Amino acid sequence: MPPSHWPHQPRGWACVGGLLRGRGSRVPVGARTRGGLELGAGMWVLAGWWVLALCAVGGALAKPPPEKKDRVHHGKELSDHQHDDNQDFQYDHEAFLGKEQAKTFDQLTPEESQERLGKIVDRIDGNRDGFVTQAELKDWIRHTQNRYIYENVDKNWADYDRDHDGRIAWAEFKNATYGYYEGEEFSDLEDKHSYRKMLVRDERRFKAADKDGDLVATREEFTAFLHPEEFDYMKDVVITETIEDIDKNGDGYVQVDEYIGDMYSSEAGEPEPDWVRTERQQFLDFRDMDRDGRLDPAEIGHWILPQDYDHAEVEAKHLIYESDKDKDERLTKQEILDNWNMFVGSQATNYGEDLTRKHDEL
């Protein structure tokens, strides 16, 4: 039986050697879990030993429903609230602070909110030139929206940073993840080949995340390793891993049957769902851009990492437009504080919004 501290699994679930291991697209790119911790795209998995017990029973306990499995990494909304500044600034608050922090600010006095906002502005101004640019504001919004990712990495940092130097070397990660098996050449696992492949795959991804090539990851680099879909410079790794998952004949491309087979497994005599036929046509009409009957790496990139509407960039432009008094397309700290109630909430703004809602209901 594998050790209970096995710390991660890539996207996709399959029982291999008694462990839940990855294939297909059941879990988004870069997902990692440890006994119930949050996965890469905000999904959750049952505590480790329940999962292992299910795998030990053997085989598929129940046939999954014929629903579409989606590999596309979609940009997410910044807030569930409607973006209507004539009603309230709740959308802007959640976009700028994140949902949980926005709730915290709603309990503060106006003075406390402005004081904390001032400290946030100092953090946003990365080059310390006294101005907040659109790029800096966009990066901040993206950071707040991905806060759960950074918190998950922080929670598990000590499991890998064995020498407590504030960085994680490839050797540390490899030993924590594969050390139990590697010395024995995975001898007690049924599918040794799969685990060797996973070791190679993890090493390649680690090296891609390691920008300076010293085989030691900073906290940001390690986050990119665990969640490559969230980092532009990891795009090639995400594409490569997707091809490896889907390309069954090993030619380096994805044929239409491989494309469909990754999403849907048919049963003998079972009618093909309408959405499968639609996906076949989507492959021919839109995915296969050069009409050669297969998807190359560039086409796969367009498919799984589309250039969606950039919510963070649009919100950054909006906040600057509404606060930039001298119209120099950047914000001073004072300009932000002068328009503080658009950026953050407080007890006072909450009270005002409550009064507005009650008046509208009359």
Side-chain angles (χ1 to χ4, degrees):
M1 174 67 70
S4 61
H5 66 266
W6 189 276
H8 80 280
Q9 65 213 31
R11 62 179 175 184
W13 299 7
C15 292
V16 180
L19 275 172
L20 189 70
R21 292 302 298 179
R23 66 173 177 80
S25 58
R26 306 299 182 264
V27 180
V29 171
R32 291 289 189 268
T33 185
R34 185 175 180 201
L37 293 176
E38 193 168 358
L39 293 168
M43 301 176 68
W44 291 79
V45 67
L46 294 172
W49 289 112
W50 282 101
V51 175
L52 295 178
L54 288 174
C55 289
V57 171
L61 299 181
K63 177 175 169 291
E67 59 184 15
K68 180 179 177 181
K69 307 302 180 185
D70 192 4
R71 282 189 179 270
V72 179
H73 179 63
H74 299 281
K76 59 184 179 181
E77 292 283 352
L78 305 181
S79 171
D80 295 331
H81 292 271
Q82 183 179 358
H83 196 179
D84 184 357
D85 291 346
N86 292 321
Q87 293 292 322
D88 58 52
F89 297 130
Q90 198 60 42
Y91 181 99
D92 300 301
H93 296 168
E94 292 189 359
F96 181 74
L97 294 168
K99 292 183 180 179
E100 294 306 315
Q101 280 296 311
K103 292 178 183 177
T104 299
F105 270 76
D106 286 345
Q107 307 307 313
L108 303 177
T109 66
E111 293 75 21
E112 290 171 328
S113 286
Q114 292 176 65
E115 180 183 356
R116 292 199 188 187
L117 175 59
K119 293 177 181 178
I120 290 174
V121 173
D122 293 338
R123 293 174 59 189
I124 298 174
D125 180 17
N127 60 7
R128 302 291 188 268
D129 66 350
F131 298 96
V132 171
T133 65
Q134 180 181 312
E136 288 173 329
L137 192 51
K138 180 178 72 172
D139 287 345
W140 169 260
I141 292 171
R142 283 181 173 172
H143 178 81
T144 61
Q145 295 299 313
N146 290 331
R147 184 175 280 124
Y148 76 93
I149 291 176
Y150 294 101
E151 290 175 349
N152 188 249
V153 171
D154 290 344
K155 193 183 302 180
N156 295 284
W157 185 261
D159 293 334
Y160 303 106
D161 183 16
R162 297 299 178 86
D163 60 7
H164 308 294
D165 67 346
R167 304 188 301 168
I168 295 176
W170 164 246
E172 288 178 301
F173 176 82
K174 183 178 70 172
N175 290 336
T177 307
Y178 297 98
Y180 178 85
Y181 297 110
E182 192 182 21
E184 305 172 13
E185 286 299 307
F186 304 103
S187 58
D188 59 345
L189 294 177
E190 295 176 14
D191 194 345
K192 304 177 185 64
H193 180 63
S194 291
Y195 282 92
R196 291 192 184 104
K197 283 177 63 177
M198 282 185 277
L199 174 58
V200 171
R201 183 162 164 154
D202 273 349
E203 183 174 10
R204 179 183 61 205
R205 187 194 285 192
F206 192 98
K207 288 179 177 177
D210 177 27
K211 287 184 174 181
D212 57 10
D214 62 355
L215 287 180
V216 180
T218 63
R219 196 171 293 264
E220 188 76 5
E221 290 170 338
F222 193 66
T223 304
F225 167 67
L226 294 183
H227 300 272
E229 74 283 359
E230 301 294 344
F231 293 80
D232 290 339
Y233 78 96
M234 296 293 286
K235 177 178 179 179
D236 288 345
V237 170
V238 174
I239 292 172
T240 297
E241 291 181 1
T242 300
I243 293 174
E244 290 176 348
D245 288 344
I246 305 176
D247 175 26
K248 301 307 179 186
N249 64 10
D251 67 350
Y253 298 89
V254 172
Q255 321 292 333
V256 65
D257 289 340
E258 292 169 332
Y259 174 81
I260 295 299
D262 179 62
M263 301 178 180
Y264 171 72
S265 297
S266 62
E267 297 289 340
E270 180 182 79
E272 192 173 75
D274 290 341
W275 70 260
V276 174
R277 290 191 289 274
T278 300
E279 279 295 336
R280 287 186 190 277
Q281 200 61 43
Q282 288 277 329
F283 181 97
L284 298 173
D285 294 343
F286 301 106
R287 306 283 186 234
D288 182 18
M289 301 170 72
D290 59 8
R291 302 293 191 270
D292 65 351
R294 61 187 186 178
L295 302 186
D296 60 28
E299 290 168 327
I300 289 172
H302 282 291
W303 164 37
I304 65 173
L305 298 168
Q307 297 300 308
D308 285 339
Y309 180 83
D310 193 331
H311 298 281
E313 184 171 8
V314 171
E315 178 64 9
K317 288 180 179 178
H318 169 66
L319 292 174
I320 288 179
Y321 177 81
E322 295 294 339
S323 308
D324 183 19
K325 289 184 177 179
D326 59 10
K327 302 305 176 185
D328 62 352
E329 299 184 350
R330 57 185 183 176
L331 300 179
T332 64
K333 185 174 185 177
Q334 191 58 50
E335 284 177 323
I336 292 175
L337 292 176
D338 286 345
N339 197 27
W340 68 273
N341 61 333
M342 175 171 277
F343 288 83
V344 299
S346 71
Q347 293 172 351
T349 55
N350 259 5
Y351 179 70
E353 289 168 10
D354 287 342
L355 285 181
T356 300
R357 291 192 191 98
K358 289 177 181 177
H359 181 269
D360 289 343
E361 291 171 359
L362 294 177

